[in-house]
Amino acid sequence: MAFTVAIDGPAASGKGTVAKRVAAHYGLGHLDTGLLYRAVGRRMLDGEDPVAAAEALKPEDLDREGLRTAQVGEAASRVGAIGAVRAALLDFQRAFARRSGGAVLDGRDIGTVICPEAEAKLFVTASAEVRAERRFRELVAAGIDTRLEAVLADIRARDERDTARSDAPLRAADDAVTIDTTRLDIEAAVAAAIAAVEAAR
Ligand code: C5P
């Protein structure tokens, strides 16, 4: 039987790491759905029409280099507000969720729109200040010269756009378990996530 774990939350909340670790723990496939929007955002920056790019998206596009940059994240957030882009990416995500053996998907609307029937739903969040500090440290460690205030402004702008859009806005599903990682390290967040999945099994 397919067992689907839906993990949603804002940028830099830790949801990606939690999703990866939960998938490894249960031996399930993992899809970072942000990569779909990033791949489409990348193509828009290259001058393509985002709807046509979403309709033509292939799995190998998700392995393209350079999808993790802040510029592509910003473009992803803009194409994510286009209903026709979201519609074009729906089938791929639902097919992945129904893989035999089960799957973990992380994003913004997995528990609410993509997999409302998921057996386990988590909403991973943290204060904007703590998320900005984490992202800032990652960028500095990667040798990127930036300022904390700029990273915080970027996180707030992305939260605002993802929460305010009319199509599949970022929000916790009514039946999601919320994990606030503001004061949790990654080990504690993963432990809380696995406990929530166990309770749903
Ligand atoms: O999670 P990540 O930072 O890679 O997502 C980039 C952007 O893609 C988000 O800010 C959001 O606008 C969009 N996105 C989305 N729905 C998803 C995953 C990502 O709208 N399921």
Side-chain angles (χ1 to χ4, degrees):
M1 193 197 78
F3 186 83
T4 306
V5 182
I7 305 184
D8 292 303
S13 59
K15 68 179 187 310
T17 307
V18 166
K20 225 175 282 162
R21 295 274 301 268
V22 168
H25 181 84
Y26 291 104
L28 302 175
H30 168 226
L31 179 64
D32 168 1
T33 65
L35 280 180
L36 301 173
Y37 295 89
R38 285 174 180 267
V40 174
R42 174 72 261 172
R43 286 177 167 233
M44 181 182 72
L45 293 173
D46 292 342
E48 284 184 48
D49 170 62
V51 177
E55 284 168 352
L57 200 72
K58 295 184 291 298
E60 53 267 33
D61 295 336
L62 307 185
D63 299 326
R64 254 182 94 174
E65 306 239 316
L67 295 184
R68 304 275 182 196
T69 66
Q71 188 201 17
V72 173
E74 171 69 20
S77 166
R78 281 192 276 137
V79 301
I82 304 170
V85 166
R86 307 200 71 82
L89 300 178
L90 200 68
D91 285 351
F92 180 82
Q93 296 174 82
R94 289 205 173 136
F96 192 97
R98 281 193 295 265
R99 276 156 55 123
S100 64
V104 179
L105 285 80
D106 74 271
R108 301 292 186 292
D109 63 340
I110 309 304
T112 51
V113 175
I114 305 296
C115 305
E117 311 297 331
E119 281 74 12
K121 295 184 188 177
L122 307 179
F123 191 78
V124 180
T125 189
S127 74
E129 289 76 11
V130 164
R131 288 185 286 124
E133 268 168 42
R134 286 177 190 157
R135 185 52 54 85
F136 176 71
R137 277 198 297 262
E138 278 170 20
L139 292 170
V140 170
I144 295 163
D145 182 29
T146 184
R147 287 167 49 243
L148 179 59
E149 300 75 52
V151 178
L152 179 58
D154 179 55
I155 292 246
R156 288 215 165 106
R158 205 119 78 78
D159 283 359
E160 170 62 24
R161 190 180 297 125
D162 290 352
T163 313
R165 70 180 176 219
S166 56
D167 207 337
L170 169 66
R171 67 171 184 84
D174 293 338
D175 51 351
V177 173
T178 294
I179 299 177
D180 186 331
T181 68
T182 305
R183 289 181 191 79
L184 297 184
D185 65 15
I186 194 64
E187 294 305 325
V190 170
I194 290 172
V197 174
E198 283 300 308
R201 274 177 14 123

